[in-house]
Amino acid sequence: MTNSKDILQHNLDYTFFSWSKQGGLNPINVASAEGVYLYDTDGKRYIDFSSQLMNVNIGHGRPEVAHAVAQQMTKLNFVAPSMATEPRGLLGKKLAEVSPGDLTKTFFTLGGAEAIENAIKIARVYTGKHKIISQYRSYHGATYGAITAGGDPRRHPVDTQQAPNIVHVDNPYSYRCPWYSSSPEECGERAIKNLEQVILYESPDTIAAILMEGESGSSGCIKYPPFYLKKVRALCDKYNILMIDDEVMSGFGRTGKYFAIEHHDVTPDIMCMAKGLTAGYLPLGAMIVRPDIAAAFETQKLPLGLTYSAHAVSCAAALAVLDIYEQDNLVERAAEMGQYLDAQVELMKAKHPSIGDWRNTGLLGCFELVKNRTTKEPMCPWNGSSEVMNNVAAKIRALGMFTFVKWNFIFVAPPLSITKEQIDEGLAIISQAIAIADEQVV
């Protein structure tokens, strides 16, 4: 067996790590994982407080998924996506049952970015129009079309080769409202007016779709005002524009509903998903559309194709994961644990003056740390770094937690199976780390 030092060195010498300078890295050398915990090769335990990349919704190490994958592998591992298989058909049927409204027909991909790419393609072909409107504070994946559609600054190094015909608008980010509003509702109303003005500037006859996340994720869990997505839907209907809902991060119970858009009582025309679809156990993504869009390709060739589309083993994994959501009532559990999490964070806010804002829906939450609650000066600038936030992140790791720390944000998105005691354990670690930021408050 390879020793832990060699395992780490092989990773560093022969593989690239995402979104990082490759020199000086010190990744957690993971040996195993179970439930909400990871274990490194030295036996140190880490509580997984962001479900890795907000995708391991059922927790680590569920034997039911391993069994389903092994069974499928013994019967059929791969066939061309032009062929029909039992798990493909069953999964498509299941997604039609759990998806909002009349979304019924699915194209399978290998991840979220591919789902977004294909949603953009099908929207353009179906409408005969070409522009896509999306938000600046959003993330939709790292392939060229998806990274351009998102507003995350990680796109900047490749902006010279960005995909064409993407138009960005501001979010209704009420904590830092671009229109200097006095309430979330006012910010939302002004955001809708701005969106409609952009539609008119760009010409509705050129806009294929508006693409938005069902619930904001890695851009800072920016909460939509309650009416916002309904009014986006109304603008889409008014100007004959499709609505694409990105549920890659927010889907499959993460927000306390099966899909985040259900909080807003809205049905999109196209919905993208991945991450929680298999809870990360195997790669799989999907794009599901309404019947009128599907019907258009009964006589017109569908211009989408991937070698590994509807991979039988990945579909089998997804079916096992969806069973776990239902058997363990994980969607309802996410809502319940989210309420408990919110209550505990309220206590933390009284203790830590650097907590400027806490935004959360179910178990998709984010602390925003500031130097001053009145001025809202961020502990770290947007798309920047700071020694204090580096120290906060280092403290979190040292105390035995893995979670997503970005700019002045600390994300909280644990597996939906988490208990109250484990939430307390995780928040105690974050509290110790935030104490470092408290020292910078003025």
Side-chain angles (χ1 to χ4, degrees):
M1 179 179 290
T2 310
N3 64 47
S4 62
K5 183 178 179 181
D6 286 343
I7 291 171
L8 180 59
Q9 203 58 50
H10 290 166
N11 277 263
L12 293 172
D13 289 347
Y14 302 114
T15 74
F16 284 113
F17 285 79
S18 301
W19 308 119
S20 301
K21 295 178 181 178
Q22 300 302 298
L25 293 174
N26 183 28
I28 297 173
N29 197 356
V30 182
S32 62
E34 183 176 1
V36 300
Y37 297 105
L38 310 169
Y39 301 86
D40 71 15
T41 52
D42 294 323
K44 181 175 179 177
R45 189 180 80 171
Y46 297 82
I47 187 168
D48 185 356
F49 230 48
S50 63
S51 307
Q52 293 303 287
L53 294 180
M54 293 80 161
N55 64 331
V56 188
N57 292 3
I58 63 172
H60 298 273
R62 293 296 296 252
E64 304 97 309
V65 185
H67 178 68
V69 168
Q71 273 200 322
Q72 183 60 45
M73 288 288 283
T74 61
K75 293 190 294 184
L76 177 70
N77 45 41
F78 172 80
V79 292
S82 58
M83 297 182 179
T85 68
E86 181 182 27
R88 172 185 183 158
L90 290 175
L91 182 57
K93 181 175 183 292
K94 183 66 176 178
L95 291 178
E97 292 168 356
V98 301
S99 293
D102 57 351
L103 296 168
T104 54
K105 198 156 189 176
T106 294
F107 178 78
F108 289 106
T109 69
L110 263 287
E114 286 182 343
I116 295 295
E117 294 279 354
N118 284 284
I120 291 172
K121 286 181 184 178
I122 204 169
R124 286 172 168 168
V125 172
Y126 175 74
T127 64
K129 300 187 284 184
H130 55 278
K131 291 179 184 174
I132 307 294
I133 295 178
S134 59
Q135 293 178 324
Y136 275 113
R137 291 182 183 267
S138 66
Y139 182 73
H140 297 292
T143 53
Y144 263 115
I147 203 167
T148 304
D152 190 292
R154 285 175 287 183
R155 68 193 170 97
H156 291 165
V158 297
D159 263 359
T160 56
Q161 300 299 317
Q162 65 182 277
N165 295 310
I166 304 292
V167 179
H168 290 95
V169 295
D170 271 315
N171 306 61
Y173 182 10
S174 60
Y175 185 67
R176 301 184 184 279
C177 183
W179 303 278
Y180 305 100
S181 303
S182 58
S183 69
E185 292 75 17
E186 185 178 52
C187 188
E189 290 289 357
R190 292 177 177 179
I192 286 294
K193 287 181 180 178
N194 174 254
L195 174 58
E196 184 165 21
Q197 190 64 59
V198 170
I199 290 171
L200 294 173
Y201 283 148
E202 295 290 335
S203 175
D205 292 340
T206 69
I207 300 168
I210 296 174
L211 164 63
M212 290 187 179
E213 294 165 295
E215 187 81 12
S216 169
S218 59
S219 295
C221 298
I222 298 165
K223 300 270 285 186
Y224 294 120
F227 57 80
Y228 181 76
L229 288 185
K230 277 191 174 181
K231 293 197 173 188
V232 173
R233 173 76 266 182
L235 287 177
C236 288
D237 294 340
K238 179 178 179 179
Y239 293 110
N240 194 27
I241 296 169
L242 297 181
M243 184 178 187
I244 303 174
D245 174 26
D246 180 352
E247 294 279 352
V248 171
M249 186 174 290
S250 58
F252 299 98
R254 172 55 57 192
T255 67
K257 296 281 189 182
Y258 220 105
F259 296 101
I261 203 165
E262 294 178 73
H263 290 284
H264 305 274
D265 193 27
V266 169
T267 299
D269 301 292
I270 303 171
M271 189 170 75
C272 298
M273 54 192 116
K275 291 187 184 289
L277 177 56
T278 60
Y281 280 59
L282 282 177
L284 189 65
M287 174 200 69
I288 190 167
V289 304
R290 294 175 70 156
D292 53 327
I293 298 175
F297 296 96
E298 290 294 313
T299 55
Q300 177 184 358
K301 183 181 289 187
L302 182 72
L304 311 178
L306 298 164
T307 298
Y308 297 108
S309 178
H311 194 286
V313 181
S314 292
C315 288
L319 287 166
V321 168
L322 297 184
D323 282 345
I324 290 171
Y325 287 130
E326 293 182 0
Q327 293 165 11
D328 293 3
N329 296 312
L330 290 184
V331 179
E332 296 81 3
R333 184 173 186 81
E336 178 188 352
M337 291 299 101
Q339 292 176 357
Y340 179 78
L341 174 62
D342 287 339
Q344 299 311 112
V345 169
E346 282 302 310
L347 300 176
M348 289 178 65
K349 287 166 70 174
K351 178 180 177 182
H352 295 291
S354 64
I355 299 176
D357 199 22
W358 162 252
R359 300 181 289 272
N360 179 55
T361 307
L363 291 174
L364 183 58
C366 172
F367 290 95
E368 179 165 353
L369 303 188
V370 296
K371 294 181 180 180
N372 185 293
R373 283 180 174 172
T374 302
T375 66
K376 301 181 182 179
E377 181 184 354
M379 196 62 65
C380 171
W382 182 84
N383 196 29
S385 63
S386 70
E387 183 179 0
V388 62
M389 287 307 300
N390 290 341
N391 291 338
V392 167
K395 186 69 170 179
I396 285 172
R397 174 170 170 172
L399 292 172
M401 172 181 284
F402 174 85
T403 198
F404 192 39
V405 179
K406 175 183 179 181
W407 308 331
N408 63 324
F409 302 144
I410 302 172
F411 290 84
V412 177
L416 312 188
S417 55
I418 199 166
T419 65
K420 291 181 179 179
E421 293 75 20
Q422 290 164 340
I423 288 175
D424 291 342
E425 176 189 344
L427 290 181
I429 290 173
I430 290 177
S431 182
Q432 292 183 66
I434 289 177
I436 296 172
D438 290 339
E439 297 174 3
Q440 305 299 315
V441 171
V442 294

